[in-house]
Amino acid sequence: MSDRDGPGLSVRLDAVTKIYSVSGEELPALRGISLSILAGESVAIVGSSGSGKSTLLHLMGLLDRPSSGAVFYDNRRVDALSPSERAILRNRSVGFVFQNFQLIPRTTALENVELPLLYRRIPARERRERARDLLASVGMGDRERHTSSQLSGGQQQRVAIARAIAASPGLLLADEPTGNLDSRSAATILDLLLSLQSRYSTTLVLVTHDMEVARHARTIFRVRDGLPEDPR
Ligand code: ADP
Ligand code: MG
């Protein structure tokens, strides 16, 4: 994690809305959310199913654009960049961890973790070395050659986390990362995310509907029906 200049990114959402259009009908998923996240902070986004948590995370991670409002990284407006500029920034700055792991099937743990390093044009030998170190750092050093189907859910999620942090992102986004895990694996994954956040001063945004998980974050942000429950 040597090539990141400085600590995590600060993220600001300014009155973002997201209206999905489904067969001619407009569905407002986010109805005006403003939120400021400090560099290196840990934030849990909490709300019931359908409240707009994933949509919010996708806007934060530049996977999608708001219908109105703006997104800032370190006070620079980023949602209005061109698709290719956003893709470059995303590759460089954002790591994603999903509820269902989303590892590439029939591909080894090592190859999964190498992928973001390949996108960043890191030479093969260094790529392999760094991927090995990353797997070791999430306690998966002895599973390098296993494919996803040969790993348990908790192990897949550890590989997914190693992949998400491979390119030293300033912003780590996790969408219900413990949602598909038993309580013991869930606790391990949560510890891992929080220890990475504090070790690298990465900004961590965690979506969950579980208050037990959320209370480990420094700040809790509640959404309900696409709106903040208690504006900050
Ligand atoms: P959460 O993650 O809190 O469960 P989501 O952000 O996934 O909530 O969804 C918020 C609302 O937006 C839901 O009503 C959902 O059905 C709708 N929605 C989410 N993604 C899409 C999409 N790609 N197209 C249309 N509607 C969507
Ligand atoms: Mg969701």
Side-chain angles (χ1 to χ4, degrees), residues 20 22 27 29 48-55:
Y20 291 114
V22 182
L27 189 136
S48 55
S49 178
S51 55
K53 305 182 298 296
S54 294
T55 302

Side-chain angles (χ1 to χ4, degrees), residues 97 99 101 152-155 157-158 161 176-194 206 208 210 212-214 216:
V97 178
Q99 176 170 1
F101 327 129
S152 72
Q155 290 172 332
Q157 195 59 306
R158 282 194 265 166
I161 289 171
E176 313 234 18
T178 59
N180 281 342
L181 301 177
D182 60 82
S183 57
R184 217 175 116 221
S185 314
T188 309
I189 291 302
L190 186 63
D191 280 351
L192 183 59
L193 287 169
L194 291 167
L206 186 75
T208 181
D210 183 349
E212 259 319 288
V213 172
H216 290 90

Side-chain angles (χ1 to χ4, degrees), residues 207-224:
V207 163
T208 181
H209 57 258
D210 183 349
M211 277 310 295
E212 259 319 288
V213 172
R215 67 182 182 79
H216 290 90
R218 203 188 80 119
T219 311
I220 295 178
F221 184 78
R222 289 184 179 78
V223 274
R224 181 181 191 161

Side-chain angles (χ1 to χ4, degrees), residues 8-12 36-43 74 170-171 201-204 218-219 232:
L9 281 175
S10 69
V11 182
R12 185 157 59 87
S36 238
I37 300 173
L38 303 173
E41 191 179 4
S42 59
V43 178
D74 289 341
L171 177 61
S201 305
T202 306
T203 309
L204 172 66
R218 203 188 80 119
T219 311
R232 55 193 283 230

Side-chain angles (χ1 to χ4, degrees), residues 131-179:
R132 286 220 159 99
D133 287 349
L134 284 154
L135 280 176
S137 75
V138 299
M140 291 292 291
D142 56 350
R143 294 288 189 280
E144 288 178 357
R145 304 283 163 187
H146 285 55
T147 61
S148 348
S149 61
Q150 297 166 336
L151 297 170
S152 72
Q155 290 172 332
Q156 288 182 60
Q157 195 59 306
R158 282 194 265 166
V159 174
I161 289 171
R163 181 180 61 182
I165 61 165
S168 311
L171 177 61
L172 186 55
L173 303 177
D175 195 352
E176 313 234 18
T178 59

